[in-house]
């Protein structure tokens, strides 16, 4: 019989269980919806030291946002309705370096990544835009540069799609929600924030 990883997970779970007498984690700190790539090497709860009750996580291959993404609407509503009501809430979309989805997109097999029409459309649009710019500027044969541009353009498309959601638009206008676009370095764990004015990534610092 093949070695079953689930047995090892059960042992880890037993070691991680809280004592029966301990209270459940406090829910009064939910401040963030974190939408990131489903890449198994990434652990946003560890990279950002999120405490229980602070973040909703949504993860999918590539950290892509659909223009009418119901999952995100539900998460944003839940975030806005959760206490404390007087605090600014945040929504983070985080792409990352060395993303297998974006590398596949760069290497021309976007159609094989997913049968889902939206994923193909998102990636094909982004790839088309990047290669158009590459042709003009002459870096189409530089795979590292193409990947960097795919990271940026994919995030920009997701951010634009996010702002088409009425619940998000309303929360931004009323000053209840702030949107952040990030690039996480898969190796160093450094975070680079998208500067909305220059549309370039800059090392994340509090301004
Ligand atoms: Zn990825």
């Amino acid at each position: 019989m093949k070695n079953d990883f689930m047995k090892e997970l059960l042992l880890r779970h037993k070691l991680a269980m809280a004592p029966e007498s301990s209270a459940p984690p406090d829910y009064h700190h939910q401040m963030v919806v974190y939408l990131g790539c489903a890449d198994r090497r990434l652990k946003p709860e560890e990279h950002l030291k999120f405490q229980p009750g602070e973040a909703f996580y949504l993860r999918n291959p590539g950290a892509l946002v659909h223009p009418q993404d119901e999952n995100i609407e539900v998460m944003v509503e839940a975030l806005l309705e959760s206490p404390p009501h007087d605090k600014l809430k945040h929504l983070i979309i985080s792409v990352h370096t060395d993303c297998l989805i974006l590398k596949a997109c760069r290497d021309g097999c976007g159609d094989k990544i997913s049968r889902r029409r939206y994923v193909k459309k998102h990636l094909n649009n982004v790839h088309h835009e990047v290669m158009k710019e590459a042709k003009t500027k002459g870096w189409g044969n530089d795979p590292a540069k193409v990947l960097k541009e795919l990271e940026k353009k994919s995030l920009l498309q997701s951010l634009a799609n996010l702002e088409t959601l009425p619940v998000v638009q309303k929360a931004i206008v009323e000053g209840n929600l702030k949107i952040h676009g990030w690039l996480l370095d898969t190796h160093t764990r450094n975070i680079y924030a998208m500067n909305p004015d220059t549309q370039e990534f800059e090392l994340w610092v509090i301004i």
Side-chain angles (χ1 to χ4, degrees):
M1 189 177 163
K2 286 179 183 170
N3 189 18
D4 188 348
F5 181 55
M6 294 307 287
K7 286 180 186 167
E8 188 181 327
L9 282 185
L10 176 58
L11 288 173
R12 290 186 204 172
H13 166 64
K14 294 285 182 198
L15 289 171
M17 278 175 67
E20 280 183 23
S21 58
S22 60
D26 190 350
Y27 260 109
H28 290 234
H29 302 290
Q30 292 183 115
M31 303 295 291
V32 173
V33 170
Y34 180 93
L35 191 135
C37 182
D39 189 305
R40 286 172 289 174
R41 297 168 295 176
L42 305 177
K43 295 181 181 177
E45 63 280 18
E46 289 185 17
H47 307 334
L48 289 151
K49 303 290 180 201
F50 279 127
Q51 300 302 302
E54 283 182 337
F56 291 104
Y57 301 99
L58 263 175
R59 298 181 67 180
N60 65 41
L64 310 182
V65 176
H66 187 284
Q68 290 90 37
D69 201 317
E70 287 183 6
N71 287 331
I72 296 194
E73 282 192 299
V74 167
M75 285 293 189
V76 170
E77 279 168 352
L79 180 76
L80 295 171
E81 285 166 12
S82 68
H85 297 287
D86 59 339
K87 290 262 168 54
L88 178 64
K89 311 288 175 82
H90 301 269
L91 191 154
I92 300 161
I93 304 177
S94 181
V95 295
H96 68 108
T97 60
D98 198 41
C99 180
L100 297 182
I101 295 291
L102 294 182
K103 281 165 95 172
C105 173
R106 175 196 64 187
D107 298 338
C109 53
D111 285 352
K112 293 180 189 162
I113 298 168
S114 172
R115 283 188 292 272
R116 290 183 183 276
R117 200 184 310 155
Y118 171 68
V119 175
K120 274 202 265 187
K121 188 164 179 267
H122 181 116
L123 293 175
N124 286 342
N125 285 350
V126 166
H127 187 256
H128 178 72
E129 202 181 323
V130 167
M131 293 322 289
K132 205 167 80 180
E133 191 178 337
K135 204 173 170 186
T136 316
K137 297 186 177 169
W139 41 258
N141 291 325
D142 180 346
K145 172 71 177 166
V146 171
L147 187 59
K148 273 196 145 330
E149 290 301 311
L150 286 171
E151 289 160 358
K152 195 167 73 181
K153 293 282 195 307
S154 179
L155 176 64
L156 286 170
Q157 181 160 322
S158 286
L159 287 168
N161 290 343
L162 181 69
E163 293 189 17
T164 65
L165 300 175
V167 64
V168 171
Q169 282 177 2
K170 184 169 180 286
I172 293 172
V173 169
E174 291 175 353
N176 296 322
L177 184 69
K178 191 161 184 197
I179 308 296
H180 309 265
W182 283 359
L183 172 73
L184 173 69
D185 186 311
T186 305
H187 176 60
T188 64
R189 314 295 191 221
N190 272 326
I191 290 170
Y192 298 85
M194 170 65 73
N195 179 329
D197 298 326
T198 62
Q199 299 202 331
E200 297 292 341
F201 289 115
E202 297 169 2
L203 189 64
W204 180 37
V205 291
I206 301 295
I207 300 167

